[in-house]
Amino acid sequence: MTGPDYTALRRRCADALQAEDQFGAPWVREVFEKVERERFAPARIRVSDPGGNGGQEVIDYATDARAWANAVYAPDRSLITQLDDGATLLEPGAPGRFTSSLSAPRVVVRQLCHLDLRPRHRVLHIGTGSGYDSALIAERTGARNLFTLEVDDRLAATARRNLDTAGYPDVQAVAGDGEQGWPAGAPYDRVLCTASANRVPRAWIEQTRPGGVILTPYRGLALPRLVVADDGKTASGPIVDAMSFMVLRGQRGTEAADLRPVVKATLSESERVRTDADLSPVKTELGAEFLYHVLVPGTRLVFGEETWWLEARDGSSWAAWKPDGRGRQWGTRRLLTEAAEALTAWKAAGAPGLTALGLTVDAGGDRVWAHEPDGPSWPVP
């Protein structure tokens, strides 16, 4: 029995993406069809349930090569390649935090479109992972123009091997903290981060030439495209897409605490409140959801059928909200009050969609704005 036909799978995946108009420029499809994605996928992968039910399945090349190959080239399936920084094995049903992945082809090509790479562009790529994104970039810019950083030593070594065997030995792939950038290769025309930032490191701006572009997922939802100003000290630009990635290792917090025992123990002493603010856009409008996460940081939302729960990830506070305006809150933070203020700010700015928002980074920190840089704005805590 013959093995999978990777060339045919790659072309079929490209055709599907083309039908959705995901390739913003001809070169993006060209590099996608040239790079052999299968060379960058480990033999065992964890993938999302194709039925869209939120489940996960583990596929091993050794036991089902065809299913593995189909998953590698599924347009909308990301491949989880590591749990808990490698401490937890990729076993079916194994609990753990996702700490590295091979992004879905649809996400990868959209990022490349927004990055707008040119031949001989000097590029800093943060978050090498398996090396796949680096290979795509190298095809466009030339391998010697790419510097790629991976904070995990074992992943960095694997990426180096993958790039070598796939024909990209000249890519400068090293282990290092991406938040610090790589001064030895600066100045860069483009900086791409394939992990989500909760704040944009100053080093990225300082190492990018004026007029250069920084593209990074931000606050777990947005993809801002920042252009470095002539002074080389600030960067600003609109949010160009919705995109969710794992958080940079140096910026991620602890896993959210289970607040059910805390709620049970503190319910009787919690504060009863009533608010006229409608929180429902957080669930239905990406602009509202993003601004909520910016202005009410360190929390998670749990959407119940009748009650929404707002929980501080450190377990210090919680709140409950019902669509009729009734609620409760307890702890060091008044989470329902914070949420109501965030939604009020969003509505006062004209209820902007996600791509009507933008980000400016300067000496004062990060600032989210609506419509244009001098429009309504909010400092990022």
Side-chain angles (χ1 to χ4, degrees):
M1 182 180 294
T2 59
D5 184 345
Y6 293 113
T7 300
L9 287 171
R10 192 155 51 251
R11 185 176 298 113
R12 186 176 69 184
C13 182
D15 288 343
L17 294 172
Q18 187 78 57
E20 299 174 0
D21 199 25
Q22 297 294 337
F23 296 114
W27 71 264
V28 180
R29 176 162 184 159
E30 290 170 8
V31 301
F32 179 81
E33 289 207 64
K34 190 167 183 179
V35 175
E36 298 172 333
R37 180 173 165 91
E38 68 273 13
R39 289 181 178 270
F40 297 91
R44 171 167 285 200
I45 53 177
R46 185 164 170 172
V47 298
S48 57
D49 178 1
N53 298 315
Q56 301 284 328
E57 62 174 319
V58 172
I59 303 176
D60 198 310
Y61 178 87
T63 57
D64 197 338
R66 291 190 180 278
W68 183 90
N70 286 331
V72 168
Y73 281 105
D76 57 355
R77 298 183 78 178
S78 60
L79 314 177
I80 305 303
T81 58
Q82 188 191 69
L83 296 176
D84 297 327
D85 302 331
T88 301
L89 296 178
L90 282 173
E91 300 291 349
R97 181 197 295 232
F98 299 164
T99 51
S100 189
S101 69
L102 191 56
S103 298
R106 180 179 287 110
V107 170
V108 172
V109 300
R110 278 162 53 186
Q111 276 196 318
L112 289 178
C113 292
H114 293 307
L115 199 57
D116 187 26
L117 292 171
R118 309 292 172 85
R120 293 180 295 281
H121 262 169
R122 203 167 182 83
V123 179
L124 174 62
H125 173 217
I126 295 151
T128 314
S130 69
Y132 177 61
D133 294 85
S134 296
L136 293 165
I137 295 169
E139 282 290 345
R140 177 61 170 171
T141 65
R144 294 182 182 274
N145 296 313
L146 173 61
F147 299 77
T148 182
L149 288 172
E150 172 55 57
V151 70
D152 187 303
D153 290 342
R154 287 174 294 182
L155 291 177
T158 298
R160 178 72 274 168
R161 290 193 299 270
N162 290 344
L163 288 164
D164 288 346
T165 58
Y168 305 95
D170 291 334
V171 170
Q172 301 183 62
V174 295
D177 182 359
E179 287 191 68
Q180 306 305 315
W182 192 251
Y188 300 103
D189 298 286
R190 298 288 188 269
V191 173
L192 172 66
C193 182
T194 45
S196 185
N198 286 326
R199 58 185 179 277
V200 177
R202 295 290 306 166
W204 298 357
I205 299 175
E206 294 166 356
Q207 294 172 28
T208 304
R209 67 167 179 80
V213 171
I214 299 171
L215 189 72
T216 179
Y218 189 75
R219 293 273 163 165
L221 177 61
L223 184 72
R225 187 180 191 271
L226 309 177
V227 177
V228 175
D230 290 342
D231 63 8
K233 298 178 181 179
T234 63
S236 184
I239 291 171
V240 294
D241 214 332
M243 211 161 277
S244 179
F245 277 72
M246 301 166 192
V247 179
L248 283 164
R249 196 165 294 192
Q251 294 187 9
R252 70 190 185 196
T254 58
E255 287 289 280
D258 182 356
L259 260 66
R260 287 174 296 183
V262 176
V263 171
K264 184 176 181 180
T266 60
L267 187 61
S268 62
E269 61 187 78
S270 63
E271 174 191 3
R272 291 179 181 269
V273 293
R274 178 172 286 277
T275 178
D276 293 330
D278 179 12
L279 304 189
S280 60
V282 174
K283 189 176 182 180
T284 59
E285 301 287 343
L286 288 179
E289 181 184 355
F290 175 70
L291 199 57
Y292 166 84
H293 286 296
V294 167
L295 299 181
V296 192
T299 62
R300 70 171 179 178
L301 269 173
V302 181
F303 301 112
E305 292 185 5
E306 298 181 358
T307 304
W308 290 13
W309 296 91
L310 294 73
E311 303 175 350
R313 289 184 173 275
D314 62 4
S316 65
S317 310
W318 61 266
W321 176 79
K322 294 179 180 293
D324 64 5
R326 291 179 297 153
R328 288 177 177 267
Q329 54 188 1
W330 171 90
T332 57
R333 294 174 62 180
R334 318 320 284 164
L335 293 182
L336 194 54
T337 302
E338 291 183 38
E341 290 173 350
L343 267 294
T344 298
W346 175 74
K347 290 182 178 179
L354 183 63
T355 54
L357 298 170
L359 178 68
T360 294
V361 183
D362 56 25
D366 297 5
R367 177 171 55 87
V368 170
W369 42 263
H371 309 299
E372 54 189 3
D374 60 356
S377 66
W378 308 270
V380 179

